Amino acid sequence: MTKQAKTELKTVLLTGFEPFGGESINPSWQAVKQLHGQSINDHQVECVELPCEFGRSLEHLYQAIEKHQPSLVLCIGQAGGRSHISIERIAINIDDARIADNAGNQPIDTAIITDAPAAYFAKLPIKTMFKGLVEAGIPAEVSNTAGTYVCNHVMFGLLHYIARHFGENDESIRGGFIHIPFLPEQAVHHGGAPSMSQTTVVDALKLLIKNGLSSEADLKLAAGTTH
């Protein structure tokens, strides 16, 4: 594939996941689907549910990118136990599954893509996005690990796709990954785990899209960790 042809209607692609790990819902898809068809910053939002499966999740993601030719791709996933909206900084080229995916696959210490780089940084203005959430009163953080399960698998696969088909310095498409907490109705079954309402998550996604599309240089502000 060469660089995508510009279409008159600019789009943002949001993805969420199907439930996994014994959950009956996945908060990522519950929130993402609320924005389908909406217009944000002159972009139409298109939403796709990904299977929680190694390999097949990327097939669905790539098909959606080809179909919608987005300017921005935000993949959203569940991070049970986290209390903040987590803007992921980096994806690593490894699958190391603590539990099997929804197809029964459990890769251990396996490269996501052979001969690809060890890691990719998100193609997003992550500090601008972080600051926007904090100023709106939404708990947020810059995260330096997307794990080694299907979420990291999708983030790495997305960034590799962008690098391969568009080039790492091409600003016509941006992409990255956002982790969100459990919904309250999930947290009650997990010993008081932190949660966040769907309304707050949807509001956060709107802000993330708006700031993710920003053409200004990313902010330089401290959002790191000591450990």
Side-chain angles (χ1 to χ4, degrees):
M1 175 183 169
T2 58
K3 292 183 181 181
Q4 61 190 2
K6 294 294 184 182
T7 58
E8 291 185 7
L9 182 62
K10 295 181 180 179
T11 62
V12 169
L13 176 63
L14 286 185
T15 72
F17 283 104
E18 66 183 0
F20 72 97
E23 298 292 326
S24 60
I25 58 174
N26 190 311
S28 65
W29 180 241
Q30 295 301 311
V32 162
K33 67 182 181 180
Q34 305 303 316
L35 295 177
H36 184 68
Q38 291 196 22
S39 178
I40 300 177
N41 281 31
D42 299 321
H43 286 67
Q44 179 169 305
V45 180
E46 300 289 345
C47 300
V48 173
E49 184 180 26
L50 301 180
C52 188
E53 297 179 25
F54 295 99
R56 202 160 74 92
S57 55
L58 290 180
E59 293 174 7
H60 282 239
L61 174 62
Y62 297 159
Q63 289 170 5
I65 294 173
E66 295 282 353
K67 177 180 179 180
H68 298 296
Q69 300 187 27
S71 303
L72 173 67
V73 183
L74 290 182
C75 299
I76 318 299
Q78 168 189 297
R82 294 195 192 183
S83 58
H84 291 54
I85 300 288
S86 298
I87 304 165
E88 299 296 345
R89 189 197 300 262
I90 191 167
I92 59 175
N93 190 10
I94 197 77
D95 289 331
D96 191 5
R98 181 180 59 83
I99 60 174
D101 69 9
N102 284 357
N105 303 307
Q106 191 174 2
I108 297 173
D109 299 338
T110 303
I112 298 169
I113 300 173
T114 305
D115 298 326
Y120 284 110
F121 287 110
K123 277 184 62 69
L124 295 172
I126 60 172
K127 298 295 182 69
T128 299
M129 296 165 78
F130 164 73
K131 184 172 184 286
L133 293 182
V134 171
E135 289 181 342
I138 299 174
E141 64 184 359
V142 173
S143 167
N144 296 300
T145 175
T148 55
Y149 195 53
V150 182
C151 290
N152 176 75
H153 182 89
V154 164
M155 182 180 178
F156 187 90
L158 166 64
L159 297 172
H160 182 73
Y161 181 97
I162 292 174
R164 179 181 178 187
H165 294 291
F166 299 92
E168 293 189 49
N169 297 319
D170 190 330
E171 290 299 316
S172 65
I173 181 170
R174 292 178 172 183
F177 198 97
I178 310 295
H179 268 121
I180 64 173
F182 280 139
L183 289 171
E185 54 264 44
Q186 293 177 285
V188 297
H189 302 293
H190 291 277
S195 65
M196 187 174 289
S197 74
Q198 182 172 294
T199 298
T200 300
V201 174
V202 171
D203 288 344
L205 293 180
K206 291 176 181 177
L207 281 171
L208 289 167
I209 292 170
K210 178 181 177 181
N211 288 316
L213 290 168
S214 172
S215 60
E216 298 180 4
D218 198 13
L219 298 173
K220 192 174 183 65
L221 55 88
T225 61
T226 56
H227 54 79

